[in-house]
Amino acid sequence: MKKQKLVLIGNGMAGVRTLEELLKLAPDTYDITVFGAEPYGNYNRILLSPVLAGEMSVPEIILNDLDWYRQNGITLHAGKQVKTIDRVRKLVVAEDGTATEYDRLLIATGSTPFIPPIPGSDLPGVLGYRDIADTEAMIEAAGLYKHAVVIGAGLLGLEAANGLMLRGMNVTIVHLGDWIMERQLDKTAADMLQASLEARGMKFLLSKNTETLQAGTNGRVAQVRLKDGIEVSADLVVVAAGIRPNYALAESAGLYCGSGRVRGIHVSDTLQTVTDPSVYAVGECVVHRGVAYGLVAPLFEQAKVCANHLARFGIGQYKGSVTSTKLKVTGIDVFSAGDFGSREDTEDILLFDKQGGRYKRIVLRQNRVIGAVLYGDTTDGSWLFQLLKDGQDVSEIRDQLLLGSSFGSSKLGDAGHTGENRAVAMSDTAEVS
């Protein structure tokens, strides 16, 4: 039987994981062509932070080198950005004119950094933090200049600040929110993390809004002015204020990308676009049941289901993901999962050892775990995450929840142990972006 043609647009972690899963299931089904905007093989974006910090090199974060594509018979167009998708002719065309026909198309265009409309954001020395080129530009700047400002105190912003500090820069973080990493941590855990980072020399300006980025005499960014009048010297500004799905190419091809607040390529439970069943999409560019995911585990779950259907097995369904976040932020372990906001119908079980650097908060509703935040010791994160996913009644072990899985699992039976093992595979190690 003649092989069909599969084209992948996007050479990132989600798209290539889909190919890896497909090659396991049906290695001889397709002639595969990949278009990647960057001139590299597939690499681990999560590890850009250690590269910035000088702990790893670019070759060490490559997941699939160029030989891997050749060994698997995959045609890779590295450094070629796709300009148009012609769904009538089933044709993909790159900016340099390279054109490839497809029978099945997989879009995995990921996301781009969100750059707020701040006057001066187009100045030299103002960067997003997304790829190898951004990382190399930051390393170069750290060798030439002294003062950096990072806009955004999420995970990416903190990792950027830490890496620049390790390279000798004075770093100030400007954040619109009331505390750092507000998506992953409650205020208590965030305050503990901030105190630890300040002890290393990191400076924070919280609840602050950036008004303008101002140029120096050389035309490069030189100062960040905040709306309350504070001015901060900055030879380098790194914007880490969130990400936006890359859906413009898909939308220009007539694929439905929604409207309003949640934009992205809308897909079904089979990861087929709702507009065209011959076009699939996975990763940060996707909206599934109204949700866009930016963590590794959901994207890999999407990849597995998508590969199942591309292999013509037709039995996989992606129902959405319950997510947890297990991170090492500049060497400090943190974990969070579920809903950890305080409400009238919830109860908190707390351990707070400020001096010892340990904090555990487990949120219950009707004797079921609905959220958790761990700081310093995240050993029981996977166990708590599985209790949350299973919706298990924990009334028998309420008084032992803070003691961890070694105490609680014995009372809940074998399910507690097997659940912990399953959860390890499900939990995230970092955000993709």
Side-chain angles (χ1 to χ4, degrees), residues 319-393:
K319 300 289 191 179
S321 297
V322 180
T323 60
S324 70
T325 310
K326 188 174 184 179
L327 311 168
K328 187 177 286 288
V329 184
T330 64
I332 300 164
D333 291 314
V334 298
F335 169 90
S336 66
D339 181 359
F340 46 84
S342 294
R343 294 177 178 82
E344 288 185 3
D345 62 342
T346 63
E347 303 172 79
D348 288 354
I349 298 178
L350 291 170
L351 181 153
F352 184 23
D353 179 3
K354 187 174 183 179
Q355 186 173 351
R358 292 176 66 224
Y359 173 68
K360 287 187 178 184
R361 177 165 166 244
I362 303 168
V363 184
L364 303 181
R365 179 185 290 128
Q366 297 178 349
N367 286 317
R368 287 172 169 79
V369 176
I370 64 164
V373 180
L374 309 178
Y375 176 93
D377 178 6
T378 60
T379 306
D380 293 310
S382 298
W383 177 63
L384 290 169
F385 181 52
Q386 194 63 42
L387 292 178
L388 184 155
K389 284 188 65 200
D390 292 344
Q392 192 159 356
D393 189 321

Side-chain angles (χ1 to χ4, degrees), residues 6-160:
L6 171 66
V7 173
L8 165 62
I9 302 175
N11 194 32
M13 295 173 72
V16 177
R17 173 58 72 94
T18 307
L19 295 187
E20 291 173 339
E21 296 288 348
L22 174 61
L23 291 170
K24 292 177 192 174
L25 297 173
D28 300 317
T29 303
Y30 295 98
D31 283 325
I32 302 172
T33 300
V34 178
F35 285 86
E38 295 181 75
Y40 310 99
N42 175 41
Y43 65 88
N44 189 337
R45 292 188 191 278
I46 296 166
L47 296 178
L48 287 172
S49 296
V51 172
L52 177 60
E55 298 163 356
M56 299 183 76
S57 64
V58 169
E60 289 179 293
I61 71 169
I62 299 295
L63 295 171
N64 301 96
D65 61 17
L66 300 182
D67 283 341
W68 178 85
Y69 296 85
R70 285 191 287 266
Q71 290 165 6
N72 287 282
I74 297 170
T75 301
L76 172 64
H77 295 298
K80 294 188 179 184
Q81 183 95 30
V82 172
K83 181 175 68 173
T84 57
I85 299 169
D86 185 335
R87 291 196 295 115
V88 175
R89 297 165 61 198
K90 291 197 168 183
L91 189 70
V92 168
V93 183
E95 289 179 343
D96 70 344
T98 302
T100 303
E101 295 179 336
Y102 69 85
D103 296 296
R104 294 287 182 270
L105 177 64
L106 173 58
I107 303 175
T109 45
S111 63
T112 51
F114 170 62
I115 308 294
I118 303 167
S121 60
D122 57 347
L123 288 171
V126 180
L127 301 170
Y129 187 16
R130 176 63 185 166
D131 55 27
I132 289 174
D134 294 332
T135 306
E136 290 178 337
M138 291 162 67
I139 292 170
E140 181 182 1
L144 298 171
Y145 304 102
K146 288 302 293 180
H147 300 287
V149 169
V150 176
I151 299 175
L155 171 67
L156 201 62
L158 296 183
E159 294 286 12

Side-chain angles (χ1 to χ4, degrees), residues 157-215:
L158 296 183
E159 294 286 12
N162 183 62
L164 293 171
M165 269 182 38
L166 290 174
R167 289 188 178 271
M169 297 196 81
N170 299 317
V171 183
T172 300
I173 297 178
V174 176
H175 189 52
L176 186 62
D178 294 334
W179 64 85
I180 66 176
M181 288 186 67
E182 69 271 16
R183 289 174 56 195
Q184 291 88 11
L185 301 176
D186 63 14
K187 191 173 188 307
T188 302
D191 287 347
M192 295 175 73
L193 178 59
Q194 182 179 335
S196 175
L197 297 175
E198 286 175 333
R200 303 181 191 187
M202 210 175 286
K203 295 180 284 290
F204 292 88
L205 292 171
L206 304 182
S207 303
K208 302 294 183 184
N209 209 338
T210 304
E211 183 175 70
T212 61
L213 307 180
Q214 300 171 337

Side-chain angles (χ1 to χ4, degrees), residues 167-307:
R167 289 188 178 271
M169 297 196 81
N170 299 317
V171 183
T172 300
I173 297 178
V174 176
H175 189 52
L176 186 62
D178 294 334
W179 64 85
I180 66 176
M181 288 186 67
E182 69 271 16
R183 289 174 56 195
Q184 291 88 11
L185 301 176
D186 63 14
K187 191 173 188 307
T188 302
D191 287 347
M192 295 175 73
L193 178 59
Q194 182 179 335
S196 175
L197 297 175
E198 286 175 333
R200 303 181 191 187
M202 210 175 286
K203 295 180 284 290
F204 292 88
L205 292 171
L206 304 182
S207 303
K208 302 294 183 184
N209 209 338
T210 304
E211 183 175 70
T212 61
L213 307 180
Q214 300 171 337
T217 55
N218 60 357
R220 183 184 178 89
V221 69
Q223 195 171 66
V224 175
R225 180 179 173 84
L226 307 182
K227 287 191 174 178
D228 61 3
I230 293 176
E231 295 181 342
V232 186
S233 295
D235 309 301
L236 171 68
V237 174
V238 179
V239 182
I243 58 174
R244 295 292 182 271
N246 255 338
Y247 60 85
L249 175 66
E251 192 170 50
S252 69
L255 298 170
Y256 181 65
C257 294
S259 60
R261 189 177 63 84
V262 182
R263 302 294 307 276
I265 306 169
H266 283 236
V267 296
S268 67
D269 290 356
T270 58
L271 281 307
Q272 290 165 291
T273 61
V274 297
T275 311
D276 186 339
S278 69
V279 181
Y280 295 72
V282 295
E284 292 174 306
C285 61
V286 158
V287 172
H288 173 265
R289 297 191 183 187
V291 180
Y293 295 95
L295 297 169
V296 175
L299 309 190
F300 285 179
E301 289 167 19
Q302 290 175 4
K304 194 162 189 175
V305 172
C306 185

